[in-house]
Amino acid sequence: MGHRIDQTSPASQYSGYGVIEDVDRVTDLVLRAMSRTPNARLREIMKSFVRHLHAFAREVQLAEAEYDVAIDFLNRIGKATNDAHNEGILFADAVGFSTLVCLLNNGAHSAPQTAAALLGPFWRDNAPLTPDGASIVRSPTPGPALFVTGHIRDPQDRPIPAVDVDIWHSSPVGLYENQDPNQAEMNLRGRLHTGEDGVFHFRSVKPAGYPVPTNGPVGELLRGQFREPYRPAHLHVMGYKPSYKTLITQVFVPDDPFIEKDVVFGVTRKLIGDYRRHDDGEPPSPDVTPPWYTLDYTFVLEPGEAKRPVPPIK
Ligand SMILES: [Fe+2]
């Protein structure tokens, strides 16, 4: 289990790391206790984590009652998490931690690569394979029709065929299908493949913004901070192909009122898409009435390791 802590090295004879003489000694003593960690990366991470955690408590002079609130908050994040909801990711998102980690790990080679964005808590694996050009609307869904053309190219601007593309977005009622009994299973979710030209097409409805779930501890925090829980409208896109770094991103709708106040800090400049409104002319499909929208967006995949993320929900 790659993401679990390796526990294969048993602690043997401790020489002891001392008793605590006063508050100033606590941190050193903890660091010493952890200094034998054989896994160098675990040692480095925990050393830094403890140093910053202790420094944080010192800086704010954390009261015992506040400590109790914090532990209770942490425990409730766990309890609020289930197969259909991931409160832990929502918390990381709401404090900008997901975006920070995402940006630290993507875009280091700068220019041509498409900016990555946080995965969010709503990706489901095994979305239905959708023929090129088909609709991902699987039950009656409000909102104007949207026709998406996506191009997937390498940093040399060559098309990449046979990329596995996952698409998911919320319904304009503000809920993902797994949150909403009125939507069909896998509504507004699909998996497509790029053709030889590196292009994929699908039909959906124009996404609308939505509030993140606020009935758990993260909602309490947002209310306590006078923060609105809304995300600007976006499409989630994941591009996966062996030998390319998996691209996880979102394409935002520019005229959304929350474009500059995303509760989870996902909006980067490059990820604002050109969603074009059409009021006249021949609609792309006979059942479409104006207005409809089109989106044309180019994603750049870098050579690298292809890795599908762990689904945050089932
Ligand atoms: Fe989303």
Side-chain angles (χ1 to χ4, degrees), residues 122 176 210 231 234 236:
F122 296 114
Y176 284 79
Y210 62 84
R231 297 219 60 202
H234 56 275
H236 290 269

Side-chain angles (χ1 to χ4, degrees), residues 48-67:
S48 179
F49 179 74
V50 165
R51 279 177 40 236
H52 284 86
L53 185 70
H54 287 213
F56 149 75
R58 289 190 165 95
E59 182 180 317
V60 301
Q61 286 292 302
L62 197 71
E64 286 166 316
E66 292 162 342
Y67 168 90

Side-chain angles (χ1 to χ4, degrees), residues 19-296:
V19 293
I20 296 166
E21 306 293 346
D22 56 59
V23 67
D24 294 336
R25 298 289 310 280
V26 179
T27 308
D28 276 350
L29 203 128
V30 176
L31 294 177
R32 215 175 310 150
M34 302 189 315
S35 64
R36 298 148 46 98
T37 307
N39 179 318
R41 183 61 176 159
L42 178 64
R43 188 170 65 241
E44 180 186 14
I45 286 175
M46 287 309 298
K47 181 179 170 188
S48 179
F49 179 74
V50 165
R51 279 177 40 236
H52 284 86
L53 185 70
H54 287 213
F56 149 75
R58 289 190 165 95
E59 182 180 317
V60 301
Q61 286 292 302
L62 197 71
E64 286 166 316
E66 292 162 342
Y67 168 90
D68 291 343
V69 169
I71 297 293
D72 181 55
F73 186 81
L74 197 60
N75 289 334
R76 285 191 298 127
I77 285 178
K79 285 183 187 158
T81 297
N82 54 53
D83 283 355
H85 175 71
N86 194 317
E87 188 82 1
I89 288 188
L90 183 60
F91 175 65
D93 293 351
V95 295
F97 193 59
S98 311
T99 290
L100 173 64
V101 173
C102 175
L103 297 180
L104 285 173
N105 284 279
N106 294 279
H109 312 293
S110 68
Q113 185 204 29
T114 300
L118 65 163
L119 176 70
F122 296 114
W123 177 60
R124 290 178 69 189
D125 208 352
N126 301 316
L129 199 56
T130 305
D132 192 50
S135 177
I136 60 170
V137 180
R138 305 181 195 281
S139 57
T141 306
L146 170 70
F147 296 84
V148 177
T149 303
H151 308 258
I152 303 201
R153 306 187 76 88
D154 70 14
Q156 285 73 44
D157 201 31
R158 294 172 300 205
I160 311 178
V163 178
D164 215 4
V165 181
D166 265 62
I167 303 290
W168 67 107
H169 70 95
S170 75
S171 153
V173 303
L175 296 168
Y176 284 79
E177 51 81 35
N178 58 290
Q179 301 174 291
D180 181 2
N182 296 318
Q183 293 181 55
E185 169 79 356
M186 294 287 181
N187 189 39
L188 310 182
R189 298 178 186 270
R191 182 179 291 187
L192 298 103
H193 296 302
T194 55
E196 283 303 310
D197 54 1
V199 178
F200 65 93
H201 308 82
F202 67 93
R203 175 177 172 176
S204 190
V205 294
K206 187 188 181 216
Y210 62 84
V212 297
T214 53
N215 53 354
V218 174
E220 282 172 32
L221 177 66
L222 295 175
R223 285 188 289 279
Q225 295 176 320
F226 276 24
R227 289 169 63 190
E228 295 172 284
Y230 293 96
R231 297 219 60 202
H234 56 275
L235 280 177
H236 290 269
V237 180
M238 182 187 315
Y240 172 90
K241 180 174 181 174
S243 307
Y244 291 90
K245 181 166 188 196
T246 303
L247 175 66
I248 298 170
T249 195
Q250 305 178 23
V251 184
F252 292 90
V253 176
D255 58 1
D256 191 288
F258 285 88
I259 195 77
E260 292 190 351
K261 41 182 178 172
D262 182 358
V263 65
V264 298
F265 310 101
V267 184
T268 51
R269 183 67 61 193
K270 283 183 182 171
L271 294 180
I272 299 176
D274 182 15
Y275 289 76
R276 288 201 186 170
R277 179 180 167 133
H278 303 268
D279 290 288
D280 40 41
E282 174 130 13
S285 177
D287 64 314
V288 171
T289 52
W292 72 90
Y293 286 79
T294 54
L295 170 68
D296 202 294

